[in-house]
Amino acid sequence: MSLFKARDWWSTILGEKEEFDQGCLCVADVDNSGSGQDKIVVGSYKGYLRIFSPHPVKPGDEVQPEDLLLEVQLREPILQVEVGKFVSGTEGLHLAVLHCRKLCVYAVSGTQGNVEHGNQYQIKLMYEHNLQRTACNMTYGPFGGVKGRDFICIQSMDGMLMLFEQESYAFGRFLPGFLLPGPLAYSSRTDSFITVSSCQQVESYKYQVLAFATDADERQDTEQQKLSSGKRLVVDWILNIGEQALDICIVSFNQGASSVFVLGERNFFCLKDNGQIRFMKKLDYSSSCFIPYCSVREGTINTLIANHNKILNVYQDVTLKWATQLPCIPVSVKVANFQDLKGVIVTLSDDGHLQCSYLGTDPSLFQAPKVDSREINYEEMNAEMKELQKIIREATKTQDILPESEKQRDITVIADVSPDLDEESQAIDSEVKAGAVPSVTVKITIHSRVTAQKPSLAVCVQAPLAVTCDQFVFDDLEPDSSETVVVSVFLKENCSPPELEGTCMVSYNIPTELNPEGIPRVSQCSFSLPLKLVCFPAQPSKAANHKLTIDTNKPPISFVTIFPDFVDPSEGDQANALGFQFLSGSKATLLASKTSQRYRIQSDQLEDLWLVTKELIYRLEEHFKKQNCKDFACTFSGSIPLQEYFELIDRHFELRLNAEKYQELLSERAVQFRAIERRLLTRFKDKTPAPLQHLDTLLEGTFREVIALADAAEENQASMFQAFAKLKSATHLVIMLISLWQKLSTDQVAILEATFLPLAEDTQELGWEETVDAALSYLLRTCLSKSSKEQALTLSSQLSMPKDTSRLKKNITLFCDRLAKGGRLSLSTESATQQAAVMPGGCATIPESDLEERTVIPGSTTIFASHGQTTKQKSKPDSCCQQLVCLRMQQRKQKAMNSEDSPQEKFLSDARCIYSAAVPIHFTL
């Protein structure tokens, strides 16, 4: 411990529970005031950026508010802050802020204040760079010997040096043999970058060598680097220091040769430009940070080194000149000039203790306490140790807060679906237009092995399906007890469901000794519903708009065998055509070839093919599984019906646009309605009666418009729900066809489903189109990318409703094209670089730019002949909204005309109806 404390000149505590590190502190004249007075710039891991201009504070006084020039939250963790000439066209100082995935450069300016509150400071974003890799640290300097400018070099967590020439990205290079990032510094004298690798070696790389080395768009093996164009990245010099480095600093004082200072965990090194050791100091403490600050005597350099004992040591080369006590352990130390006081020591701790201090002779009197010397009784210590070990063993066996998972579940849920439909339908409030809506019974049994508190059951099916009761609450279950409930599932909406599946979920609490209230647990199971719940047998149809052919490697099976619930047994084995009549009104036909191993599914609607195709493949697999046939497989060799699929996407997106327009119109009319109400209320409260000036007529007309718009919005919402159900069914069908076409594995099919079916429900805030487009863009830039340039493109982190569906349809077409050319779905990062080598050459690619025109090469063929076509929007949202609103107004006017009112009321009703059916009202106060 030092005899003297650091004299406190100014100090403050930053935020609450914020964290800081080595690069979070910077000292410079960041606002270009020209007064020579430095400002303190501090960034935190919570994203707060603060700039201070300290003034001396008397002991016991608080820091003045005007000392904090600026405080702003940047919403992203701040890794490092630096001040330099980072903007082209000016030599003024600017602030560079490094985030995990972004580099931002700000201009800090101040406005002279006219009152006692002082000056006002603000920051302005000059430019930013979105980083493709997670950043670790950065350095800056006049790379390449430029004059009056500073460039920035960022080191990523995977060992890539990304160099930015102010507003533009220059290049990136991977460091050879990289494992973990280390400190990084730039030497302007030798124009080189110096770092410490994971091999505990100080390495120097010339800027010119980095500039002419092989491009670092992707990692390459040593043999591949030898064969590729460009030069290999060669290190200039290496020095083994035998320990990890905390920081590197390069200084040059009095026009002398520059020195490279490296602070290790237990040693302090000073190196020459060529890597030779100038001197070395072995430290007897664990250091935390350091800074070389000046040269007092010719040939020597003074250095501040702080350690974890809260001691700040002052060295002249290797000689200790002074030691002072600090109030905390600093993670960063700087030397600054404030007002007339030069050489102020600025320290920052990891918990936000910022202090400006100077060296002095304020003694810290410390007296060591007396040691209570007594003899140790080893027998008592051994007995106490055994007792403690016994308590620990018992606690690990019985008193575990979260007990270990057992092989058998505490509660088992079993859902049994009845093979037959209910004799008496249990459908409630069904909107299906069919005569009789069938229902099927699901028996759910809950068996408990242990005591379960507050058990509750939730039965979930996807709309348009519904259950008679979806929530059940039971009393506490005793061990080896069970509960049984029966529910019925039926079709509620007038459209076919995209899935015939449901889920049963039981939530309960398991009490323990340390937690008598119980630990929350969940058990669940899924069940499948029969196809005859949503359709019934019908006469097969010969003609259809949409047809699919499924190939198999086994002879066709009679429909009497695989569809006994849809075929009359009297037909025997001659039944090779089967018709399905959906409750929503559409039909589908299933045909089996007599001469080939094929099945055809056809329908007038693309979405109606899904459930029949899924049921056919499922029943064929189950049939051959019972016969112990393991080589059965289904394939699809036709073209993917993307054009019809795009029509469903356009229809759904058009309804979303209409919903957005209705919301805007409703908001406008509601504001207008409230404004008229305020005017009327003012007239009614007036003591001197005044004419209403037709405000009541205007109010009535606005009210009718609001009601008509609300009715139209409800109809649009119902249409959008049905359109989304059809879109999901068609999406399931496209996923199945792609998996059969490319013979995808289970994991790849799961990636497809996660890409095309990310949402269970569609909303205006987060819709299907933007979500699928973002997922497809990610796959096209990773595992399905053709080159490394596509991998370097930046993906938007914010989802918003697009203007149209052209980009989405282009990405879907491009996705199928990449799969057709040998693309492979994978979420691993390593497969992206291998994918570029797998993609075959010589194929006609699909243009990926909206400005690029698609050309057709004579004699060339492509599987997707119709994918380049774009579907026009059927109707504009504005015209659709106006038509629906006018229709509603006409209906209400006719109803008002037919009502039995007095002549005066009828006259007013006629006038209001004609007025409200005219052009939308625009009211201005």
Side-chain angles (χ1 to χ4, degrees):
M1 176 170 288
S2 173
L3 179 62
F4 304 110
K5 286 185 178 180
R7 303 297 298 270
D8 188 5
W9 185 73
W10 181 91
S11 63
T12 184
I13 303 296
L14 304 180
E16 295 181 3
K17 297 182 180 179
E18 294 188 42
E19 296 183 12
F20 304 82
D21 207 347
Q22 181 180 352
C24 297
L25 176 65
C26 181
V27 173
D29 188 14
V30 67
D31 60 343
N32 299 286
S33 62
S35 61
Q37 181 177 353
D38 292 332
K39 313 297 186 300
I40 302 176
V41 182
V42 184
S44 72
Y45 281 172
K46 280 192 175 182
Y48 286 95
L49 179 67
R50 300 178 176 91
I51 301 179
F52 294 90
S53 178
H55 295 82
V57 178
K58 296 181 180 180
D61 293 346
E62 296 181 358
V63 177
Q64 298 300 319
E66 56 264 26
D67 290 351
L68 178 60
L69 303 183
L70 180 69
E71 181 177 15
V72 62
Q73 186 177 13
L74 302 181
R75 297 185 180 181
E76 295 183 16
I78 299 176
L79 304 182
Q80 191 172 346
V81 290
E82 296 291 350
V83 176
K85 303 173 183 179
F86 301 133
V87 177
S88 59
T90 177
E91 292 189 5
L93 297 179
H94 290 78
L95 175 63
V97 180
L98 180 63
H99 302 285
C100 297
R101 286 277 184 168
K102 186 185 296 184
L103 171 66
C104 301
V105 175
Y106 298 93
V108 181
S109 59
T111 304
Q112 188 72 25
N114 296 324
V115 293
E116 72 254 18
H117 298 297
N119 302 335
Q120 297 180 357
Y121 285 81
Q122 61 183 358
I123 61 172
K124 178 182 179 182
L125 179 65
M126 305 303 294
Y127 62 88
E128 67 178 17
H129 294 291
N130 292 318
L131 307 179
Q132 300 300 316
R133 303 175 183 276
T134 304
C136 177
N137 51 23
M138 67 175 176
T139 186
Y140 69 96
F143 304 162
V146 297
K147 302 295 184 181
R149 292 190 298 169
D150 287 333
F151 298 158
I152 298 176
C153 176
I154 299 176
Q155 180 180 205
S156 66
M157 295 296 292
D158 57 352
M160 183 179 179
L161 297 182
M162 297 172 284
L163 286 92
F164 297 88
E165 295 181 356
Q166 295 182 341
E167 291 87 355
S168 61
Y169 172 74
F171 55 86
R173 301 290 182 265
F174 278 108
L175 296 178
F178 181 87
L179 181 60
L180 294 173
L184 179 67
Y186 172 76
S187 174
S188 59
R189 183 179 179 87
T190 60
D191 195 20
S192 59
F193 296 91
I194 300 176
T195 183
V196 179
S197 66
S198 301
C199 300
Q200 301 178 354
Q201 296 176 345
V202 182
E203 300 176 354
S204 175
Y205 298 89
K206 291 283 188 180
Y207 176 79
Q208 296 296 331
V209 176
L210 290 172
F212 291 99
T214 305
D215 195 10
D217 287 338
E218 61 184 37
R219 287 187 177 272
Q220 296 178 340
D221 297 333
T222 305
E223 296 298 329
Q224 292 178 346
Q225 287 184 354
K226 292 179 181 179
L227 298 176
S228 60
S229 61
K231 298 181 181 180
R232 292 181 56 195
L233 185 56
V234 181
V235 65
D236 187 23
W237 52 262
I238 296 177
L239 176 66
N240 192 340
I241 61 175
E243 63 178 349
Q244 295 294 333
L246 300 179
D247 198 3
I248 295 178
C249 191
I250 302 173
V251 295
S252 177
F253 299 110
N254 300 330
Q255 303 298 326
S258 62
S259 300
V260 180
F261 289 86
V262 181
L263 179 64
E265 296 174 340
R266 287 289 181 176
N267 294 278
F268 174 58
F269 303 88
C270 179
L271 312 179
K272 298 181 180 179
D273 292 336
N274 57 3
Q276 296 180 357
I277 296 179
R278 177 170 292 169
F279 62 82
M280 168 186 170
K281 172 67 176 178
K282 184 174 179 61
L283 307 176
D284 55 355
Y285 48 78
S286 178
S287 54
S288 61
C289 57
F290 86 121
I291 182 173
Y293 65 96
C294 71
S295 177
V296 179
R297 195 175 64 184
E298 184 69 22
T300 62
I301 297 178
N302 285 21
T303 308
L304 298 176
I305 302 179
N307 58 39
H308 287 273
N309 297 330
K310 302 181 182 180
I311 301 295
L312 182 66
N313 297 315
V314 183
Y315 288 91
Q316 188 176 43
D317 286 351
V318 295
T319 305
L320 179 64
K321 290 296 184 178
W322 194 265
T324 184
Q325 183 77 34
L326 296 175
C328 57
I329 301 174
V331 294
S332 182
V333 58
K334 303 291 181 182
V335 177
N337 299 325
F338 299 120
Q339 294 183 349
D340 296 333
L341 186 62
K342 295 184 178 181
V344 178
I345 302 172
V346 183
T347 56
L348 175 67
S349 67
D350 60 348
D351 58 354
H353 188 174
L354 180 64
Q355 181 180 14
C356 298
S357 57
Y358 58 94
L359 303 181
T361 56
D362 187 9
S364 175
L365 302 178
F366 173 79
Q367 185 177 2
K370 296 182 179 180
V371 179
D372 186 11
S373 59
R374 61 176 182 177
E375 296 182 358
I376 300 176
N377 191 336
Y378 291 100
E379 293 182 358
E380 293 182 358
M381 292 182 63
N382 289 334
E384 185 180 0
M385 178 64 71
K386 291 179 180 179
E387 186 66 25
L388 293 176
Q389 289 178 349
K390 182 179 179 181
I391 296 174
I392 293 173
R393 283 195 300 267
E394 293 295 329
T396 54
K397 286 182 180 180
T398 59
Q399 297 183 358
D400 197 356
I401 297 177
L402 290 176
E404 298 180 358
S405 59
E406 302 176 0
K407 295 182 179 180
Q408 296 182 357
R409 293 183 177 273
D410 297 331
I411 285 186
T412 306
V413 187
I414 301 175
D416 184 17
V417 181
S418 174
D420 301 322
L421 299 178
D422 297 338
E423 295 181 359
E424 183 178 352
S425 177
Q426 302 296 322
I428 304 173
D429 299 333
S430 178
E431 300 177 2
V432 180
K433 298 179 181 180
V437 180
S439 63
V440 65
T441 300
V442 180
K443 182 180 179 181
I444 304 170
T445 303
I446 304 172
H447 180 74
S448 176
R449 294 193 313 108
V450 296
T451 301
Q453 297 177 352
K454 302 177 182 179
S456 62
L457 170 66
V459 184
C460 304
V461 291
Q462 287 195 13
L465 296 174
V467 293
T468 52
C469 184
D470 58 352
Q471 295 286 341
F472 298 90
V473 179
F474 307 101
D475 296 331
D476 294 350
L477 296 177
E478 299 296 330
D480 296 328
S481 61
S482 61
E483 292 282 350
T484 302
V485 295
V486 176
V487 297
S488 294
V489 183
F490 59 93
L491 185 64
K492 187 173 184 179
E493 306 288 341
N494 191 26
C495 60
S496 299
E499 293 181 1
L500 288 175
E501 294 180 353
T503 304
C504 300
M505 186 179 303
V506 178
S507 60
Y508 56 96
N509 294 337
I510 298 296
T512 60
E513 293 185 8
L514 294 182
N515 192 356
E517 295 295 328
I519 302 170
R521 294 288 186 89
V522 174
S523 296
Q524 63 180 0
C525 73
S526 59
F527 56 90
S528 298
L529 300 170
L531 181 62
K532 56 186 177 182
L533 180 65
V534 295
C535 64
F536 53 87
Q539 190 68 23
S541 177
K542 295 183 180 180
N545 296 332
H546 305 280
K547 299 178 182 180
L548 293 177
T549 302
I550 304 297
D551 299 330
T552 63
N553 58 353
K554 298 295 180 181
I557 307 300
S558 173
F559 289 156
V560 178
T561 304
I562 58 176
F563 284 97
D565 48 346
F566 285 89
V567 180
D568 189 359
S570 61
E571 297 184 11
D573 296 338
Q574 302 299 323
N576 63 341
L578 188 59
F580 300 89
Q581 176 74 46
F582 289 94
L583 297 180
S584 57
S586 56
K587 291 183 179 180
T589 303
L590 177 61
L591 303 172
S593 176
K594 296 180 179 179
T595 58
S596 60
Q597 303 171 355
R598 294 181 176 180
Y599 299 88
R600 170 169 290 182
I601 308 98
Q602 57 188 23
S603 176
D604 290 335
Q605 305 294 332
L606 177 65
E607 62 273 9
D608 293 333
L609 300 175
W610 156 241
L611 291 178
V612 179
T613 306
K614 177 187 177 183
E615 192 73 14
L616 171 65
I617 295 177
Y618 172 74
R619 296 198 180 195
L620 286 175
E621 290 177 349
E622 291 295 322
H623 172 75
F624 287 103
K625 188 183 295 183
K626 293 178 181 178
Q627 295 184 356
N628 295 326
C629 180
K630 299 181 180 180
D631 59 343
F632 172 75
C634 296
T635 57
F636 177 73
S637 57
S639 60
I640 306 295
L642 291 186
Q643 190 62 37
E644 297 81 356
Y645 184 50
F646 291 160
E647 293 178 0
L648 293 173
I649 294 176
D650 288 336
R651 173 59 180 164
H652 175 259
F653 186 73
E654 179 185 355
L655 293 173
R656 286 188 64 195
L657 291 178
N658 292 344
E660 195 174 41
K661 191 67 177 178
Y662 286 138
Q663 187 176 0
E664 294 177 0
L665 292 175
L666 272 173
S667 178
E668 292 177 2
R669 296 298 176 269
V671 172
Q672 177 176 305
F673 187 79
R674 288 192 293 269
I676 299 172
E677 281 185 326
R678 286 196 296 269
R679 276 292 182 92
L680 279 174
L681 186 61
T682 304
R683 294 290 178 91
F684 291 149
K685 286 184 176 180
D686 196 356
K687 293 182 179 180
T688 59
L692 297 180
Q693 296 180 350
H694 302 289
L695 283 177
D696 55 341
T697 306
L698 196 61
L699 182 69
E700 180 71 19
T702 306
F703 174 75
R704 292 193 178 188
E705 279 197 354
V706 171
I707 296 300
L709 280 172
D711 292 342
E714 286 185 356
E715 287 186 4
N716 185 81
Q717 187 70 23
S719 300
M720 189 166 62
F721 170 79
Q722 294 187 5
F724 186 61
K726 294 179 180 179
L727 180 59
K728 287 181 66 176
S729 298
T731 303
H732 278 293
L733 179 64
V734 170
I735 292 174
M736 173 176 284
L737 295 181
I738 291 176
S739 62
L740 296 178
W741 169 44
Q742 290 294 320
K743 299 179 181 179
L744 301 181
S745 63
T746 305
D747 294 339
Q748 292 173 330
V749 173
I751 296 176
L752 266 183
E753 292 178 349
T755 302
F756 284 92
L757 295 170
L759 302 176
E761 295 182 359
D762 190 42
T763 60
Q764 285 296 108
E765 292 78 12
L766 183 62
W768 182 87
E769 285 81 6
E770 55 265 30
T771 311
V772 174
D773 184 52
L776 284 173
S777 300
Y778 175 78
L779 291 179
L780 291 174
R781 283 160 175 77
T782 52
C783 61
L784 295 180
S785 61
K786 293 194 301 183
S787 62
S788 57
K789 293 183 179 179
E790 292 185 356
Q791 300 177 21
L793 295 177
T794 304
L795 295 177
S796 176
S797 60
Q798 187 174 7
L799 295 181
S800 59
M801 186 175 176
K803 296 181 180 179
D804 51 36
T805 59
S806 58
R807 172 186 168 88
L808 172 61
K809 292 187 289 188
K810 180 190 67 176
N811 282 342
I812 294 176
T813 307
L814 186 60
F815 175 80
C816 295
D817 184 68
R818 295 280 176 87
L819 288 180
K821 292 178 181 179
R824 188 171 168 274
L825 290 177
S826 175
L827 294 181
S828 61
T829 56
E830 297 179 357
S831 63
T833 56
Q834 300 173 1
Q835 186 63 35
V838 173
M839 298 293 288
C843 298
T845 59
I846 295 177
E848 299 178 34
S849 173
D850 295 337
L851 302 177
E852 184 180 354
E853 295 183 359
R854 184 168 299 147
T855 58
V856 180
I857 303 175
S860 64
T861 59
T862 176
I863 297 177
F864 306 99
S866 63
H867 292 176
Q869 302 176 4
T870 58
T871 58
K872 295 183 179 179
Q873 197 169 354
K874 296 181 180 179
S875 62
K876 295 182 180 180
D878 293 343
S879 62
C880 182
C881 294
Q882 292 174 3
Q883 292 173 8
L884 285 174
V885 172
C886 290
L887 179 62
R888 286 291 180 186
M889 301 299 292
Q890 297 272 347
Q891 293 174 353
R892 292 186 177 275
K893 184 175 73 172
Q894 187 67 29
K895 183 178 180 181
M897 294 285 292
N898 296 333
S899 62
E900 297 180 358
D901 295 331
S902 62
Q904 294 83 359
E905 293 177 349
K906 186 175 182 181
F907 174 78
L908 283 176
S909 177
D910 294 345
R912 290 166 183 168
C913 288
I914 295 173
Y915 187 81
S916 61
V919 181
I921 305 169
H922 296 279
F923 181 80
T924 305
L925 291 179

